[in-house]
Amino acid sequence: MIKLQLHENWQLCNIRQLDWIPAQIPGDIYAALLKTGKMPDPFFGDNEYQAKALMEEDYEYRTVFNYEEAQFKDCQEVILRFDGIDTIADIYLNGCCLGKVDNMHRIWEFPVGELLENGKNTLRVIIRSPLKFMAEAFKKYKNRGNEDTIEGFMHLRKAHYMCGWDWGACLPDGGIFRPVTLLGIETARLDSVYIRQVHKDGKVLLVPEVDVETVDEEESEADGYEGAQALEYQVTVTAPNGTKTIWDDCPDEMEIENPQLWWPNGLGEQPLYQVQVDLKAGNKIVDTWCRKIGLRALTMHREKDQWGESFAHEVNGYQVFAMGADYIPEDNLLQRTSRERTRELLLQCKRANFNTVRVWGGGYYPEDWFFDLCDELGLMVWQDFMFACTPYPSDPTFLKRVEAEACYNIRRLRNHASLAMWCGNNEILEALKYWGFNKNFPPEIYQEMFRGYDKLFHQLLPAKVKELDADRFYIHSSPYFANWGRPESWGIGDSHNWGVWYGQKTFESLDTDLPRFMSEFGFQSFPEMNS
């Protein structure tokens, strides 16, 4: 496969003012405006309100890139891939509309082979105002979220913390925040690879599930394709000591003898095996997939007992006491995050003896390298799907958006040793039961909220996890049963204890208010003095 990244020569403008400025890709609108003096520091004083108002506008990204037909001469198809657009956008190549996008939490791909010209090509991405979209949605549906957020935010598949939260500013940024790439496909490509593990009798069987997308048909198993050239794949496993073993002819399984097991931080080492899958058409390698995996059995131990039911991570047969914290987005301006910055944060977690981090459901699904770092450092990841603190729509169009998002992220993340579990949402069941929705809405609408909850979190998401990541634990909500104010529920599942903050309880109460698993707790601090 030929890959050409399109990260150079980008410009950005407010489409009403046409004031073009340089823009970084991957990047975001606020960062570009801030760098060129078009907006004040959004974290100083009340500048947040001026920054928010800027997103009432539509913005255009534009670049001119060079395409050389000779470089792609062996390719039967050329795809334009966006790994992340925030959020509503229209895409144009050489004046032709490729399509519209409406979800920040997934990739978008467009076939462009017939539109590309040898030499210069113009790519435009028009980012539509998220505030206008949410205002129209609220006007139509009238369903309110929590009191800290923009009305109508639940209708847009955008990182919700950008719409305001009790811990952060309301800065509804936008942009092209992940790579943009031209992909040249020769015959076929690897659509996905899943390396399942079977641990038995001191050995580990690796079972590859390889899906291939061919140019002339959407999807096939590699060894079942009957094109002009038979496709097959080869698997190379490199052990932590550098020893390589190769399996040819589309192996059904690979046996790892004397496996070096992966353990969470504090319980052992984190050896990683590199798995490389080469897709071949005849003798030619047409695509390669390569990842590092850790050999471990990881689930959630749940067993009825005298207090209720246990709830503990279980790794390689041992129950683990989870120590860690929730991970929320590190910055409102996504361009200011980086692998290096995140690595330092996660190193601090390791030094503090964390073995777990929970990716909170009001943000966005982290980059692959976040999970690479957690694999390396021994940090188990509790991964929320991106839903938080309010009822969501459940109409067929919305469910279709969520299904595409879930499929993409499950397939993307399922090979990571650190991925411990999936959770449907943050605090939505808690909100429905105890946050006054029953008083603010008529009974028929309130009951429809529960039916929508069932469609999303008891049907769609667990079905996708079972289909695509069957060995992983799923739970529909966090907290599982109830929040800090109802101690009768502490014997089952996880709890969010904000009694010291919202409930104005003493810090000493954390010594006695003891749920089975505390997936949120703390106290909101004062801001830094210089702000």
Side-chain angles (χ1 to χ4, degrees), residues 193-238:
V193 176
Y194 183 23
I195 307 297
R196 300 185 70 171
Q197 301 181 22
V198 179
H199 291 245
K200 190 175 181 181
D201 301 328
K203 299 178 182 179
V204 176
L205 281 182
L206 300 182
V207 182
E209 297 181 4
V210 179
D211 293 323
V212 173
E213 181 182 316
T214 62
V215 170
D216 57 351
E217 61 183 39
E218 287 188 1
E219 198 170 316
S220 71
E221 291 298 320
D223 53 1
Y225 175 63
E226 298 179 356
Q229 286 182 304
L231 295 172
E232 63 176 29
Y233 62 86
Q234 176 191 77
V235 182
T236 303
V237 177
T238 305

Side-chain angles (χ1 to χ4, degrees), residues 23 38 55 126 141 147 153 162 199 216 221 236 255 314 334 347 349 356 397-398 401 437 468 496 524:
K38 299 287 185 180
M55 295 311 295
I126 299 177
Y141 297 104
E147 61 186 13
F153 82 92
M162 293 183 180
H199 291 245
D216 57 351
E221 291 298 320
T236 303
E255 184 175 292
E314 183 177 297
L334 298 185
L347 275 171
C349 294
T356 308
T397 300
F398 188 82
R401 286 195 192 110
F437 285 96
L468 300 172
H496 294 186
Q524 185 146 317

Side-chain angles (χ1 to χ4, degrees), residues 359-371:
V359 178
W360 170 75
Y364 58 92
Y365 304 92
E367 285 81 355
D368 291 304
W369 45 255
F370 173 89
F371 293 87

Side-chain angles (χ1 to χ4, degrees), residues 394-402 455:
S394 59
D395 58 274
T397 300
F398 188 82
L399 292 177
K400 188 175 180 180
R401 286 195 192 110
V402 171
K455 289 178 184 178

